[in-house]
Amino acid sequence: ASDVYKRQERRILMSGHSKWHNIQGRKNAQDAKRGKVFQKLSREIYMAAKSGGPDPSGNPTLRMVMDKARAANMPKTNIERAIKKAEGNSDEHYDEITYEGYAPGGVAVLVEALTDNKNRTASDVRVAFTRNGGSLGATGSVAYMFDRKGYLVIDRSTTDADEDQVLLDVMDAGGDDLETSDDAFEIYTDPKQFTAVRDALEKAGYKLANAELTMIPQNTTPVPADKKEQFAHLIDALEDNDDVSNVYTAAADDDEY
């Protein structure tokens, strides 16, 4: 029993609201834009396969993006097409760029993009910020406010394990933190341990509803009531951009927007 208590002492509650609820909310909003989502995922799969090889068993980045694609219900043929394109003689190339800025209400925002035209993407991202009450910042202006983390989710409807058992298995796997809600167990890991933790949990019999590397804000900022609509428009404008892969914010309770 003392070992359990020691393990529980390592548990750190994160931001106080469910990232999983936020992801589900954004996913539902993006269902109507399924073609655009698949196009972005194809680009990520292509680059992962191009840089690390077409075999996901030896390319953890590719495996992670493929898992992300499956979670988005991307057809297997689309995934295979992107990998075959990377295996071919395509000279298509995309640069990874991160933009930093502030949304209405002073909320920190990180934008990750894959682009074949840096000038176009920079201009589009800047316009999205300025037209929606935000401001694009210099490199390093907000990145220090976020931590890179591995993030995994176990849907509680897929397991009979209770919180104590999941916590033990997470710690045994090398995970750092566990958050529990009515419908999910949310697990955070050191990014270097992400693959090992994911594989260990799957070996233990858990079905993962989500597994990704993400950016977690160290602190959150409430969006003022009179800025919520502008905030939502900014996030929508960024996510609608073909070159934008991920948008992270430090908004408190951003599942409401």
Side-chain angles (χ1 to χ4, degrees):
S2 62
D3 187 44
V4 173
Y5 293 136
K6 287 178 182 177
R7 292 175 188 274
Q8 289 179 327
E9 286 175 3
R10 291 181 57 194
R11 181 179 177 188
I12 303 171
L13 291 178
M14 305 290 289
S15 60
H17 69 275
S18 171
K19 177 178 171 63
W20 184 233
H21 288 162
N22 297 349
I23 288 175
Q24 288 177 308
R26 300 311 300 177
K27 183 179 182 298
N28 291 338
Q30 290 178 345
D31 277 347
K33 309 168 188 173
R34 191 172 297 270
K36 182 171 295 232
V37 172
F38 292 167
Q39 177 186 344
K40 293 183 179 186
L41 287 168
S42 291
R43 190 177 292 187
E44 291 185 54
I45 292 168
Y46 168 81
M47 284 301 295
K50 192 82 170 173
S51 60
D55 182 3
S57 64
N59 184 344
T61 301
L62 176 59
R63 179 182 166 185
M64 184 169 59
V65 179
M66 289 174 66
D67 288 344
K68 181 179 174 182
R70 293 189 187 103
N73 296 316
M74 184 173 176
K76 183 179 179 181
T77 52
N78 293 41
I79 296 173
E80 292 173 345
R81 191 182 306 124
I83 293 175
K84 286 180 180 177
K85 182 178 178 181
E87 289 181 283
N89 297 320
S90 173
D91 58 358
E92 201 170 304
H93 178 76
Y94 299 95
D95 292 305
E96 296 182 25
I97 304 176
T98 300
Y99 302 95
E100 306 174 41
Y102 289 93
V107 178
V109 179
L110 276 180
V111 181
E112 293 179 344
L114 274 177
T115 178
D116 58 357
N117 187 321
K118 296 180 183 179
N119 292 335
R120 179 195 65 223
T121 307
S123 176
D124 289 348
V125 170
R126 185 178 298 279
V127 167
F129 272 94
T130 56
R131 284 185 179 173
N132 295 285
S135 59
L136 194 60
T139 300
S141 58
V142 303
Y144 69 94
M145 303 178 189
F146 293 79
D147 294 321
R148 176 71 73 179
K149 291 281 186 180
Y151 174 71
L152 309 101
V153 178
I154 300 169
D155 188 324
R156 296 191 70 167
S157 67
T158 65
T159 179
D160 294 328
D162 60 18
E163 183 178 13
D164 288 341
Q165 182 59 54
V166 174
L167 179 62
L168 283 172
D169 290 337
V170 168
M171 294 306 171
D172 285 342
D176 292 337
D177 314 317
L178 172 70
E179 282 188 357
T180 303
S181 62
D182 290 341
D183 55 0
F185 295 110
E186 298 174 85
I187 300 136
Y188 295 87
T189 78
D190 182 294
K192 294 179 181 178
Q193 299 299 316
F194 169 78
T195 300
V197 173
R198 178 193 62 197
D199 292 350
L201 290 175
E202 288 181 337
K203 188 175 181 181
Y206 293 107
K207 183 179 179 181
L208 299 177
N210 195 74
E212 64 180 352
L213 290 176
T214 188
M215 299 297 286
I216 302 295
Q218 297 167 1
N219 297 289
T220 57
T221 303
V223 180
D226 63 342
K227 302 291 186 182
K228 287 185 177 182
E229 187 173 353
Q230 262 191 326
F231 178 90
H233 287 162
L234 170 59
I235 302 307
D236 286 342
L238 291 170
E239 291 186 341
D240 281 346
N241 187 295
D242 290 342
D243 299 330
V244 171
S245 304
N246 298 293
V247 179
Y248 306 109
T249 84
D253 301 319
D254 58 338
D255 53 309
E256 296 180 1
Y257 310 130

